[in-house]
Amino acid sequence: MSKLVLLSAGGTGGHLFPAEALAHELRHRGYRVHLVTDRRAQRFSAHFPADDIHVVPSATITSKNPIALARTGIALFRGLRESGRLMARLRPAIVVGFGGYPTLPPLMAATRAGIPAMIQEQNAVMGRANRFLAGRVDVIAGGFLAPGTGVHGDKIVTTGNPVRPDVLEAAATPYAPPAADEPFHLLVFGGSQGARFFSEILPKAVDLLPESLRARLRITQQARPEDEDAVKTHYRESGIEAEIAPFFDGMAKRMAQAHLVISRSGASTVSELSVIGRPAILVPFPHALDHDQAANAAALSEKGGARVIRQSEMTAEALASQLSDLSGQPEQLAAMARQARETGRPDAARLLADLVEELAGGGSPSKEREAQQ
């Protein structure tokens, strides 16, 4: 029977999407893949390529309230016990964590049982759950982390962030900046908080644009259900062609069709923009505990692939100025797209799978992997 790889991820897209990409690669290589996560992942589970999905109790530490902390501790303890039984029953060759507090019980159970363990950190700044696990695991695979940095730098191997097959397919679409008389496709999206902010600021910015640019705009924008009607009405009354929805299928294809993207700067978003190669205006989420989105955005902007605006500085006037400037410089847009693509790691899933195979087979990960790529 083929070896079993147990993947563990928090129940959000940012944690699950790179796990999904690795699962596809491992199954292609003949491995069995199981996923252990929390209940939030059910909305993504239909598309996750796992032979089985296990839900274990977990909780996120979000409060200093003693009662809340006690409840969190009890949930994590229950999750650790269930994860221990899961390790004994499945006997995986390796356990790989992708961040989020739901990864704590499985990864701790794996290390206690002597099972090889690895975490993958998507962001340029390590998240809290991964920081807790870093001293216990064998290897830290970094999306943006550099080897030798931080307390556990000797464990870091840079692989990039795995992206799903639909992103790799979208990356085959070359970037073609629009001529001055052609439609300008603008894609705008973010999480719940990002969608709310963009729903407030973008319609105001569009009102400030010259009529010649407003006539060219083709907007695809994510909006919360409670904001959707207001945003649609505003664009319709302003004569702007726009598609507004709380959620879009086929985001990779939509990204490939865009001439410019406005978004938050989560690790998955930045990685997908880089692999597909699209210019972007990034607005990091300002309340992130570890300021990880600011670090992610900086990693891309330093290479010339994006412009970064702090949310506190993102006025309607500032955004209108950026849109007017970039839409009038197709050569600048093309350069940003090219520079974004040069930072992308389309082979990240393969590199991560190689690392998994080395550990699962009892080998030591090559510290020269980054330099050899």
Side-chain angles (χ1 to χ4, degrees):
M1 183 178 292
S2 59
K3 289 184 177 180
L4 169 65
V5 177
L6 184 61
L7 307 183
S8 179
T12 65
H15 294 130
L16 283 165
F17 292 160
E20 179 185 333
L22 176 61
H24 280 291
E25 178 68 20
L26 290 172
R27 285 171 64 90
H28 179 72
R29 298 186 185 197
Y31 285 86
R32 292 177 295 135
V33 176
H34 285 206
L35 172 69
V36 57
T37 184
D38 63 5
R39 299 186 188 282
R40 295 175 299 165
Q42 291 176 345
R43 56 181 170 156
F44 300 104
S45 61
H47 303 289
F48 199 97
D51 297 287
D52 203 354
I53 297 178
H54 312 275
V55 175
V56 299
S58 184
T60 300
I61 301 173
T62 58
S63 172
K64 294 181 180 180
N65 181 287
I67 297 176
L69 286 173
R71 289 173 178 167
T72 299
I74 291 170
L76 290 172
F77 179 72
R78 289 177 53 219
L80 181 60
R81 286 198 308 174
E82 290 196 20
S83 295
R85 289 192 289 267
L86 194 65
M87 299 302 151
R89 178 165 60 87
L90 296 179
R91 303 180 65 84
I94 184 173
V95 179
V96 185
F98 285 85
Y101 281 98
T103 65
L104 294 182
L107 269 294
M108 290 178 67
T111 57
R112 289 174 63 175
I115 298 170
M118 176 174 73
I119 54 175
Q120 199 271 343
E121 175 55 58
Q122 297 95 49
N123 293 292
V125 177
M126 193 175 295
R128 294 189 173 193
N130 275 349
R131 285 206 305 268
F132 182 83
L133 293 167
R136 295 167 167 81
V137 299
D138 300 291
V139 175
I140 302 167
F144 295 102
L145 297 177
T149 58
V151 177
H152 302 290
D154 60 326
K155 295 184 179 183
I156 296 174
V157 179
T158 303
T159 59
N161 287 319
V163 295
R164 295 167 294 167
D166 60 334
V167 175
L168 296 176
E169 183 178 343
T173 302
Y175 182 74
D181 59 345
E182 293 179 337
F184 188 88
H185 292 275
L186 180 65
L187 175 63
V188 185
F189 63 93
S192 176
Q193 294 298 319
R196 177 184 179 183
F197 175 72
F198 294 140
S199 292
E200 294 173 352
I201 202 73
L202 187 63
K204 296 176 183 177
V206 168
D207 288 344
L208 299 175
L209 296 174
E211 180 58 36
S212 58
L213 177 53
R214 285 158 51 89
R216 296 173 56 204
L217 276 182
R218 305 291 185 269
I219 299 175
T220 300
Q221 183 173 347
Q222 183 184 23
R224 299 184 308 168
E226 55 266 43
D227 299 326
E228 183 179 359
D229 287 342
V231 176
K232 283 182 176 179
T233 298
H234 187 103
Y235 288 139
R236 183 174 61 251
E237 293 178 350
S238 301
I240 304 297
E241 186 174 320
E243 182 182 5
I244 313 298
F247 179 81
F248 291 107
D249 287 320
M251 278 299 293
K253 183 176 181 181
R254 292 176 184 274
M255 203 177 291
Q257 293 170 340
H259 294 122
L260 179 66
V261 175
I262 301 175
S263 71
R264 292 299 197 194
S265 50
S268 291
T269 295
V270 173
S271 297
E272 291 172 3
L273 282 169
S274 300
V275 170
I276 297 173
R278 291 299 178 267
I281 296 174
L282 300 177
V283 186
F285 180 56
H287 306 300
L289 292 175
D290 302 303
H291 302 290
D292 52 346
Q293 290 208 7
N296 298 339
L300 185 56
S301 66
E302 287 170 2
K303 302 293 185 180
R307 294 184 178 181
V308 181
I309 306 178
R310 295 180 185 176
Q311 182 167 311
S312 61
E313 299 172 354
M314 175 71 102
T315 62
E317 291 77 10
L319 181 54
S321 175
Q322 291 285 341
L323 290 173
S324 295
D325 179 47
L326 288 172
S327 64
Q329 298 189 72
E331 67 286 347
Q332 176 65 24
L333 288 170
M336 290 174 67
R338 183 172 59 255
Q339 287 155 343
R341 191 177 179 90
E342 287 175 357
T343 69
R345 301 293 293 265
D347 58 347
R350 177 181 63 79
L351 296 175
L352 190 57
D354 288 346
L355 197 55
V356 168
E357 287 194 312
E358 289 180 29
L359 286 173
S364 299
S366 170
K367 298 301 181 182
E368 302 298 322
R369 183 182 303 280
E370 163 69 9
Q372 292 172 0
Q373 302 309 316

